[in-house]
Amino acid sequence: MKYSLINLLKHIEYLYPNLFIGCLALKEFLAYRIFESNGRSSGRLEKISSVDLGINDLFVKVEYSAINYKDALAATGQAQIAKKFPLIGGIDLIGTVLESKTDKFRDGEKIIVTGSGLSETLNGGYSEYAQIDSDLAFLIPESISTRLAAGIGTAGFTAALAIYKMKINKQKFSNEKIIVTGATGGVGSFAILLLNKALSEVIAVSSKNNCINYLDSLGVKDIINPSDIKDNESLLEKALWHGAIDNIGGDILSWLTRTVRPHGNIASIGLASSHDLNTNVMPLILRGINILGISTNINRKISEDLWKDIFCNLTNDDIEKVITRETSLKDLSNHFDRYITGNNYGRTIIKIS
Ligand SMILES: NC(=O)c1ccc[n+]([C@@H]2O[C@H](COP(=O)([O-])OP(=O)(O)OC[C@H]3O[C@@H](n4cnc5c(N)ncnc54)[C@H](OP(=O)(O)O)[C@@H]3O)[C@@H](O)[C@H]2O)c1
């Protein structure tokens, strides 16, 4: 049989798959990429090669990713998350280092990358292989599987960051009533777990009547349906909560500002319901409440410490409770709509390889 050079190399690669690690240009693999057409983005599964990944100091075999609200927005074009095209989606990336060109990580170590521009300006985790800047990666301890690390992902990290910022701002947590909105979502679920570890009494705000058992299993003391919250025109209402973690914005966030007790903190994380915030200054100037903005773009040392705390504080059973679905790269696109309509609960992880 006659071999062209490329076929010969492909044949060698087939026989010795590790031989071309780091310059895997010949191998094709699956990735879910975001494209733009007529000003709107959409995603699709494709075969790509390592040439499409660019070059970085960590070459990674991706094992898991996950679906976050932002991933659903990016893939369905509901918001322009990706800033360049085509770009591999997925803001969570968990895998094994195949080749490290830095002292910071060794071949074979397990790493996690969350946020950090993935699926915005950098290729994300919806791909069988990745080239990663080691400055964005964090080591997963041996006691945590890549599956469980994916369960935590951006959602768990963001919940931990909110609690960290509230703590810096003198929130005690122990024996305090802390209210969590968007409670059945990924961030909400981890906020509940972590607040329980801090001995808070957690009140969930959730529109899902079918998730009472789920929220109970996470350890909430009470559940409020947003439809039961009366729209009150008062500038201040009865002060009920020592603090709040808000994932949805809009009218509920506005209500939180009027019902948090003096000097309490509201961590504003998300906008799943609305990006609006209509309130007044009375809660600020009469009760001294604090609205803390949560952005995961923080310095590396803080992130490193937070990851250590998260891995240390959450048990495998805790994390398994929040992993409500596992799917594959091939089936990924069937799962985004549930996030857009707010009908998902817990975390969907993607088994990549
Ligand atoms: N600031 C940051 O750095 C950062 C990081 C991560 C996430 N976020 C943001 O935080 C929010 C939560 O993220 P997530 O990953 O937890 O999302 P998720 O898993 O999709 O959960 C969002 C939850 O919000 C509630 N919700 C209420 N109204 C909704 C609506 N109109 N559409 C969709 N959901 C609605 C639902 O919970 P219930 O039915 O229980 O009410 C839903 O499960 C998102 O806005 C996300 O973009 C921000």
Side-chain angles (χ1 to χ4, degrees):
M1 191 198 294
K2 254 189 170 175
Y3 270 114
S4 68
L5 179 62
I6 197 98
N7 276 338
L8 180 64
L9 290 171
K10 275 186 174 171
H11 189 68
I12 294 171
E13 193 203 13
Y14 177 76
L15 291 175
Y16 307 101
N18 287 332
L19 200 63
F20 292 115
I21 280 172
C23 61
L24 214 94
L26 307 168
K27 185 162 178 162
E28 285 195 321
F29 51 87
L30 282 179
Y32 185 91
R33 294 210 288 182
I34 313 287
F35 292 81
E36 189 186 40
S37 167
N38 300 325
R40 200 181 160 102
S41 61
S42 62
R44 64 172 181 265
L45 201 59
E46 290 199 316
K47 280 197 167 161
I48 63 167
S49 79
S50 67
V51 175
D52 301 299
L53 295 179
I55 298 285
N56 245 314
D57 59 357
L58 294 180
F59 181 56
V60 177
K61 178 123 184 74
V62 185
E63 290 173 25
Y64 282 95
S65 185
I67 302 181
N68 296 276
Y69 185 70
K70 197 171 178 180
D71 293 317
L73 292 176
T76 57
Q78 298 284 322
Q80 287 300 104
I81 304 295
K83 306 286 185 293
K84 55 188 252 203
F85 304 94
L87 198 67
I88 299 169
I91 67 171
D92 289 345
L93 186 156
I94 295 93
T96 302
V97 176
L98 289 181
E99 187 186 41
S100 171
K101 294 182 189 141
T102 160
D103 297 341
K104 289 181 257 171
F105 293 95
R106 289 196 302 270
D107 295 2
E109 284 185 329
K110 312 273 185 199
I111 57 143
I112 181 163
V113 187
T114 58
S116 313
L118 298 194
S119 182
E120 284 181 50
T121 52
L122 304 172
N123 282 318
Y126 295 161
S127 168
E128 294 182 78
Y129 293 92
Q131 288 277 357
I132 293 292
D133 177 348
S134 58
D135 286 344
L136 309 180
F138 294 89
L139 188 68
I140 301 172
E142 277 174 16
S143 55
I144 304 277
S145 67
T146 47
R147 172 191 153 79
L148 292 177
I152 301 169
T154 297
F157 181 78
T158 310
L161 176 61
I163 291 170
Y164 165 81
K165 283 197 81 170
M166 291 168 79
K167 202 179 261 172
I168 290 178
N169 219 35
K170 308 281 185 232
Q171 192 79 52
K172 286 202 210 69
F173 292 112
S174 177
N175 294 318
E176 289 191 335
K177 274 190 181 177
I178 309 288
I179 189 162
V180 177
T181 69
T184 63
V187 180
S189 299
F190 276 105
I192 295 167
L193 286 176
L194 292 168
L195 287 168
N196 268 307
K197 305 276 175 197
L199 306 178
S200 300
E201 189 178 316
V202 188
I203 317 299
V205 177
S206 174
S207 49
K208 294 189 189 78
N209 293 326
N210 58 341
C211 284
I212 292 170
N213 289 345
Y214 173 71
L215 289 169
D216 280 347
S217 78
L218 300 182
V220 300
K221 285 280 178 314
D222 203 0
I223 304 172
I224 298 175
N225 193 305
S227 62
D228 292 335
I229 297 171
K230 300 281 169 287
D231 195 6
N232 186 326
E233 305 271 294
S234 325
L235 298 177
L236 285 170
E237 296 179 43
K238 187 174 177 192
L240 299 168
W241 330 111
H242 294 91
I245 294 184
D246 178 59
N247 293 299
I248 66 175
D251 290 345
I252 297 289
L253 175 54
S254 163
W255 170 75
L256 290 176
T257 63
R258 301 193 301 270
T259 52
V260 162
R261 294 166 65 139
H263 307 291
N265 295 295
I266 302 173
S268 169
I269 293 179
L271 43 55
S273 162
S274 163
H275 50 56
D276 288 339
L277 169 57
N278 298 312
T279 187
N280 68 89
V281 297
M282 294 308 192
L284 306 175
I285 63 179
L286 292 184
R287 289 187 178 159
I289 68 139
N290 309 290
I291 302 177
L292 307 179
I294 304 302
S295 164
T296 51
N297 295 324
I298 49 168
N299 89 37
R300 183 169 172 95
K301 176 74 178 90
I302 297 174
S303 298
E304 216 159 48
D305 290 348
L306 276 176
W307 275 119
K308 280 184 192 149
D309 279 356
I310 295 166
F311 288 138
C312 185
N313 276 338
L314 293 173
T315 66
N316 293 0
D317 283 353
D318 289 333
I319 306 165
E320 283 292 357
K321 279 182 203 160
V322 180
I323 300 176
T324 46
R325 210 174 258 105
E326 177 169 331
T327 187
S328 64
L329 208 43
K330 284 189 178 147
D331 197 34
L332 173 62
S333 58
N334 294 323
H335 294 270
F336 292 125
D337 281 350
R338 241 189 2 261
Y339 282 79
I340 298 299
T341 54
N343 285 318
N344 189 65
Y345 75 97
R347 292 265 292 162
T348 305
I349 58 169
I350 318 298
K351 173 103 177 84
I352 306 272
S353 57

